[in-house]
Amino acid sequence: MTANVLRGEAAIVIHGTARVLRPTFAALVAAEEELGPLFALVERASEGQLRLTEIAALFWHCLAERGATTRDDVGEAVMAAGLAAVSKPLRALLAQILQGRA
């Protein structure tokens, strides 16, 4: 499965496999329940105040297919890739939060 950027999807590599991040309504509601208002999340990100745990949580909630993937797996993938690399899928998800689907 590959990410469809026209649907607002992004990807992150977890255990050597690209995994699709799909910001569905259900995924974003779950993320909001855990992280608080999504607009505030976007504001923190724009100010450089987003925490690593928040990035991993948003990615975990947006995984299109979790299978046996754990939150720790997602966090480890974020750390392995580095903040510079995960900023691209993060920006894609945050853009979808603000703009909705194309």
Side-chain angles (χ1 to χ4, degrees), residues 24-45:
T24 64
F25 177 75
L28 295 177
V29 166
E32 189 171 52
E33 284 294 316
E34 178 180 343
L35 301 170
L38 294 179
F39 193 77
L41 182 81
V42 172
E43 285 182 333
R44 286 194 305 278

Side-chain angles (χ1 to χ4, degrees), residues 13-94:
V13 176
I14 301 173
H15 295 303
T17 303
R19 303 290 301 277
V20 173
L21 301 171
R22 183 175 296 144
T24 64
F25 177 75
L28 295 177
V29 166
E32 189 171 52
E33 284 294 316
E34 178 180 343
L35 301 170
L38 294 179
F39 193 77
L41 182 81
V42 172
E43 285 182 333
R44 286 194 305 278
S46 72
E47 296 167 353
Q49 300 297 317
L50 205 58
R51 295 176 296 169
L52 185 59
T53 58
E54 293 175 310
I55 296 169
L58 180 62
F59 285 3
W60 189 77
H61 285 294
C62 289
L63 274 177
E65 296 178 7
R66 286 191 193 143
T69 304
T70 67
R71 286 279 282 267
D72 286 340
D73 293 334
V74 175
E76 289 173 17
V78 168
M79 288 303 298
L83 290 177
V86 298
S87 67
K88 183 176 180 179
L90 177 62
R91 280 193 311 269
L93 295 179
L94 294 175

